[in-house]
Amino acid sequence: MAKQVIKFYANWCGPCKVYGPTFTKVRQELEGDIEFLEINVEEDTENLSGQYGVRGIPHTVVLEDGKQVQAQSGRLSEEQLKELILK
């Protein structure tokens, strides 16, 4: 799969809870050509959060062919998330 979107979050994180439905809605609209992943930073046994330099959550990373091309910390609106993914 050429493009992937990873959302880093934690269950206790207030902004993550607010961002969750937005991420899900955009995923439902764009899934097919794009793979969406959600990683709980407290259960990140592969240390992907360290690999992608996650310093705050929620944090969204966009990969193309396995390479990071975009990243944004904080809660994004539907429009902001689509723009980040489709750049």
Side-chain angles (χ1 to χ4, degrees):
M1 189 147 302
K3 193 174 265 194
Q4 295 177 307
V5 179
I6 306 172
K7 177 184 84 171
F8 292 92
Y9 73 98
N11 290 333
W12 51 262
C13 168
C16 297
K17 291 177 184 178
V18 174
Y19 182 43
T22 302
F23 189 85
T24 299
K25 184 173 182 185
V26 171
R27 168 199 271 167
Q28 290 170 343
E29 290 179 25
L30 300 178
E31 204 164 38
D33 296 330
I34 301 169
E35 180 182 8
F36 288 80
L37 305 166
E38 297 184 56
I39 298 176
N40 184 329
V41 295
E42 295 185 319
E43 299 170 2
D44 182 13
T45 57
E46 296 178 34
N47 193 34
L48 291 174
S49 55
Q51 181 181 337
Y52 292 111
V54 176
R55 300 278 184 256
I57 53 174
H59 187 82
T60 307
V61 175
V62 180
L63 307 173
E64 282 192 41
D65 299 318
K67 293 183 173 51
Q68 181 175 321
V69 293
Q70 299 288 338
Q72 180 74 43
S73 286
R75 182 173 49 96
L76 303 174
S77 69
E78 199 175 319
E79 295 78 25
Q80 290 170 321
L81 179 56
K82 284 180 187 177
E83 184 178 326
L84 186 75
I85 294 169
L86 300 174
K87 274 186 184 178

